[in-house]
C-alpha cells in the first residue's frame, strides 16, 4: 500500500482527527460511486457513504495494515449498501405513477428548468437506462458486476471485499453478465 | 445464444482472460465457424462496453464536512480508557478482581507436584508415592491440609482434613473425627478459594458491626 495512506492512517490512530478528512478525500468518490451504482439513488448513496466512513473511523483500530485499505473500506461500504437494499421497500421506477395522483409519473417530480441539449439528453437517458438495468440484477450479482466493471478490481480483491471465494465471484460475474446481456439486448 | 453450455462456459473464460494461448486460439476458431457463438460473444462484449461507458460520479462536495462534523470528540482509540476514568468504581473492581485472580493463580504454582502439608503432629511424607501417612498409634490434634498428595490415616486425626489434589485412603484402624473435604477439579478449587475468601470477608465485616453495636450500647 502506498506510504501516503499508511502515514494518514497512523496519524488517525494517534488521534489526529483532521487526518481523517485527508483519507476521505482520497476515497470518497470511489465509495460514493460504488454505493450509488448499488442503490441507484443519490440521497441513499450519500447517506450510506457517510455511514461507511463513520464506521471506518470508529473501527480504524481493527484495520490490519498489512492489507489493502481500499479493500477494507469497500467491504464496509458494500455491506452497508447490501443491508440497505434488503431493508428497502420494493423498488419503484420512474415510469410508475406517483401514489395518490392520476397520471403523474416520477419523471415529473424532477425539475426541468433548463432543457438539455440533444446529445446530453441522449447521454443522460443512456446512463439512466444502464443504471436501471444494473438495478434489475439481484444484489449479489450487482455488487460483483459493479466492482469488476466499474471499479476494475481483480477477482481476488472482489472476493476479499465480498468475503467470497474467487470461484463464487466468477460465477456471480458470469450470471450477472449473462443477465445484463439479455436485458440490454432487448 | 451460444451453441452449447460448454461453449458458453468457454466464452466466459475468454471474457475473464483466463485462457491460455492455445485455448484462446481454439475458441476464436470455433467462433469464426459458429454464428450463434459469434453473436453471443459480440453481445457480451457490447454489454461490458455499455456498462463500462457509464460515467463515474463524484461524491457531493459536503460529504467530507458532514462526516467530520459527526466524528466523536474523543479519538476512538481511547474509548476504553475514558470509560474507566468515568467509572472509577469499575476500575477498582477490575483491579480487585485481578488481584484475586493472581492470588488464585499462585495456588497453581509451577511446582504443583510438590506435596505440601499444613498441620501439626507426627506424620511422615512418602514423596515417591505422594502419600502423607499418619502412622499407627499417632494422633494429630488440629486441622490438617494437604496439597498434591494422598492421606493415609493409620493413627487418628482429631480435626478437619482438607485434601487438595489428593485422596483420603481410609485405613481400617485409623480415623478422622472431623470433616474430610477433597478438592480435586480445577473449578472446585476455585470455588473452595472463593468460599474461604467470602467467609473471611464476612467474618471481618460482622466483627466490625459487632464492635460498632457495642460502642452504641456502652
Amino acid at each position: 500500500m502506498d506510504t501516503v495512506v499508511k502515514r494518514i492512517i497512523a496519524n488517525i490512530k494517534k488521534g489526529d482527527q483532521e487526518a481523517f478528512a485527508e483519507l476521505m478525500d482520497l476515497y470518497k468518490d470511489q465509495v460514493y460511486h460504488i454505493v450509488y451504482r448499488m442503490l441507484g439513488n443519490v440521497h441513499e448513496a450519500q447517506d450510506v457513504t457517510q455511514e461507511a466512513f463513520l464506521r471506518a473511523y470508529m473501527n480504524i483500530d481493527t484495520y490490519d495494515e498489512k492489507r489493502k485499505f481500499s479493500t477494507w473500506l469497500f467491504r464496509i461500504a458494500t455491506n452497508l449498501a447490501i443491508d440497505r437494499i434488503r431493508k428497502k421497500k420494493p423498488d419503484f421506477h420512474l415510469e410508475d405513477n406517483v401514489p395518490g395522483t392520476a397520471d403523474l409519473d416520477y419523471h415529473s417530480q424532477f425539475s426541468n428548468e433548463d432543457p438539455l441539449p440533444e446529445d446530453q439528453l441522449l447521454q443522460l437517458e443512456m446512463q439512466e437506462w444502464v443504471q436501471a438495468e444494473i438495478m434489475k440484477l439481484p444484489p449479489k450479482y450487482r455488487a460483483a458486476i459493479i466492482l469488476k466493471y466499474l471499479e476494475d478490481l481483480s477477482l481476488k480483491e472482489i472476493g476479499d471485499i465480498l468475503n467470497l471465494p474467487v470461484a463464487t465471484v466468477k460465477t456471480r460475474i458470469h450470471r450477472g453478465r449473462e443477465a445484463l446481456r439479455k436485458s440490454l439486448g432487448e | 445464444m451460444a451453441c452449447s453450455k460448454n461453449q458458453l462456459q468457454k466464452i466466459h473464460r475468454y471474457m475473464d482472460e483466463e485462457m491460455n494461448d492455445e485455448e484462446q486460439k481454439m475458441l476464436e476458431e470455433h467462433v469464426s465457424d459458429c454464428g450463434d457463438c459469434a453473436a453471443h460473444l459480440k453481445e457480451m462484449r457490447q454489454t461490458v462496453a455499455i456498462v463500462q461507458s457509464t460515467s463515474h460520479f463524484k461524491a457531493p462536495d459536503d460529504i467530507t464536512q458532514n462526516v467530520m462534523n459527526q466524528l466523536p470528540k474523543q479519538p476512538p482509540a481511547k474509548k476504553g480508557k475514558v470509560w474507566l476514568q468515568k467509572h472509577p468504581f469499575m476500575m477498582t473492581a477490575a483491579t480487585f478482581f485481578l488481584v484475586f485472580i493472581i492470588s488464585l493463580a499462585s495456588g497453581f504454582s509451577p511446582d504443583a507436584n510438590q506435596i505440601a502439608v499444613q498441620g501439626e503432629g507426627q506424620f511422615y511424607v512418602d514423596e515417591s508415592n505422594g502419600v502423607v501417612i499418619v502412622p499407627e498409634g499417632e494422633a494429630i490434634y488440629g486441622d490438617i491440609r494437604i496439597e498434591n498428595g494422598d492421606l493415609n490415616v493409620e493413627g487418628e486425626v482429631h480435626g478437619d482434613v482438607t485434601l487438595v489434589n489428593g485422596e483420603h485412603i481410609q485405613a481400617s484402624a485409623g480415623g478422622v473425627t472431623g470433616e474430610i473435604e477433597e478438592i480435586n477439579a480445577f473449578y472446585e478449587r476455585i470455588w473452595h478459594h472463593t468460599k474461604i475468601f467470602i467467609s473471611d470477608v464476612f467474618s471481618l465485616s460482622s466483627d466490625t458491626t459487632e464492635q460498632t453495636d457495642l460502642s452504641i450500647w456502652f
Side-chain angles (χ1 to χ4, degrees):
Chain A
M1 193 173 60
D2 54 327
T3 45
V4 181
V5 178
K6 268 198 174 149
R7 180 185 51 78
I8 292 174
I9 291 170
N11 287 342
I12 296 167
K13 284 188 177 178
K14 270 187 243 153
D16 176 9
Q17 279 199 343
E18 292 309 309
F20 195 70
E22 285 180 65
L23 193 70
M24 276 196 73
D25 287 339
L26 287 176
Y27 291 105
K28 62 179 182 187
D29 289 338
Q30 251 183 311
V31 171
Y32 179 79
H33 187 236
I34 292 170
V35 298
Y36 171 73
R37 288 298 178 191
M38 287 184 72
L39 295 163
N41 173 308
V42 285
H43 298 293
E44 281 191 304
Q46 174 156 9
D47 214 33
V48 169
T49 304
Q50 290 178 187
E51 175 77 25
F53 276 107
L54 267 175
R55 291 211 183 179
Y57 180 80
M58 300 303 283
N59 297 297
I60 196 80
D61 281 328
T62 66
Y63 161 63
D64 175 2
E65 269 144 83
K66 290 195 269 319
R67 311 186 110 199
K68 213 171 159 184
F69 179 73
S70 60
T71 303
W72 185 74
L73 180 64
F74 294 170
R75 187 175 189 166
I76 297 175
T78 49
N79 279 342
L80 284 172
I82 290 171
D83 278 355
R84 188 65 71 105
I85 294 166
R86 288 198 184 123
K87 282 185 205 144
K88 226 166 46 169
K89 292 159 250 137
D91 282 347
F92 65 82
H93 289 280
L94 290 173
E95 287 73 23
D96 295 345
N97 281 344
V98 178
T101 61
D103 47 19
L104 212 57
D105 67 25
Y106 282 102
H107 279 296
S108 60
Q109 299 278 60
F110 295 97
S111 61
N112 217 348
E113 291 151 16
D114 307 309
L116 291 163
E118 187 102 348
D119 55 339
Q120 272 191 40
L121 196 68
L122 212 67
Q123 174 69 21
L124 197 70
E125 276 177 2
M126 168 92 173
Q127 296 275 343
E128 275 181 19
W129 170 60
V130 175
Q131 180 60 32
E133 297 305 326
I134 292 174
M135 294 299 290
K136 282 184 196 162
L137 293 174
K140 52 185 190 177
Y141 301 163
R142 210 187 294 174
I145 288 284
I146 290 167
L147 295 172
K148 166 87 180 151
Y149 288 115
L150 298 176
E151 296 306 320
D152 213 13
L153 300 179
S154 71
L155 295 176
K156 171 81 178 65
E157 270 180 287
I158 299 171
D160 287 343
I161 292 169
L162 300 177
N163 200 18
L164 293 171
V166 170
T168 313
V169 174
K170 270 189 215 164
T171 313
R172 290 189 177 183
I173 288 171
H174 292 181
R175 298 217 174 124
R177 201 157 57 191
E178 204 54 50
L180 280 174
R181 182 191 67 85
K182 280 184 191 139
S183 65
L184 291 174
E186 272 168 8
Chain B
M1 201 62 202
C3 66
S4 72
K5 240 185 158 172
N6 187 23
Q7 286 301 331
L8 176 62
Q9 208 50 42
K10 283 186 182 164
I11 291 175
H12 277 295
R13 291 196 45 216
Y14 183 79
M15 294 288 297
D16 288 340
E17 292 170 3
E18 288 194 313
M19 284 184 153
N20 60 35
D21 289 351
E22 200 184 333
E23 286 175 307
Q24 213 168 314
K25 236 177 97 188
M26 274 173 67
L27 184 89
E28 278 159 5
E29 273 170 23
H30 172 78
V31 166
S32 65
D33 291 342
C34 172
D36 287 346
C37 284
H40 199 117
L41 181 61
K42 193 180 162 201
E43 282 176 32
M44 199 90 98
R45 281 179 164 153
Q46 282 174 341
T47 303
V48 169
I50 290 171
V51 171
Q52 285 181 323
S53 74
T54 58
S55 46
H56 269 65
F57 287 91
K58 276 198 178 310
D61 292 335
D62 55 355
I63 218 159
T64 303
Q65 202 47 51
N66 285 350
V67 172
M68 293 308 286
N69 291 344
Q70 286 182 64
L71 294 188
K73 294 281 173 284
Q74 292 287 342
K78 306 208 167 78
K79 234 168 22 183
K81 209 170 148 189
V82 171
W83 186 80
L84 276 179
Q85 279 167 1
K86 279 188 195 157
H87 299 82
F89 173 74
M90 286 312 289
M91 187 66 180
T92 320
T95 317
F96 188 67
F97 189 69
L98 195 69
V99 170
F100 181 49
I101 289 289
I102 288 169
S103 68
L104 262 186
S106 64
F108 305 93
S109 47
D111 55 346
N113 292 322
Q114 198 92 39
I115 300 183
V117 187
Q118 274 174 34
E120 279 177 28
Q122 292 292 319
F123 52 78
Y124 66 88
V125 180
D126 185 349
E127 290 241 17
S128 57
N129 293 320
V131 187
V132 175
I133 300 167
V134 178
E136 214 173 331
E138 288 293 343
I140 291 173
Y141 294 92
D143 297 345
I144 185 164
R145 178 190 165 89
I146 299 164
E147 282 190 34
N148 306 315
D150 299 339
L151 173 68
N152 187 357
V153 182
E154 283 164 10
E156 284 168 28
V157 175
H158 298 281
D160 298 343
V161 174
T162 307
L163 292 160
V164 180
N165 259 349
E167 280 179 11
H168 172 231
I169 306 158
Q170 183 82 53
S172 54
V176 177
T177 55
E179 278 179 21
I180 301 171
E181 196 185 5
E182 290 183 10
I183 304 154
N184 289 322
F186 178 83
Y187 287 109
E188 274 180 12
R189 287 181 69 176
I190 290 186
W191 171 235
H192 174 70
H193 280 279
T194 315
K195 237 163 52 181
I196 289 176
F197 176 76
I198 289 171
S199 66
D200 282 350
V201 170
F202 275 87
S203 61
L204 198 78
S205 57
S206 59
D207 282 349
T208 339
T209 37
E210 259 172 45
Q211 276 170 11
T212 333
D213 287 346
L214 287 176
S215 64
I216 293 168
W217 283 105
F218 294 100

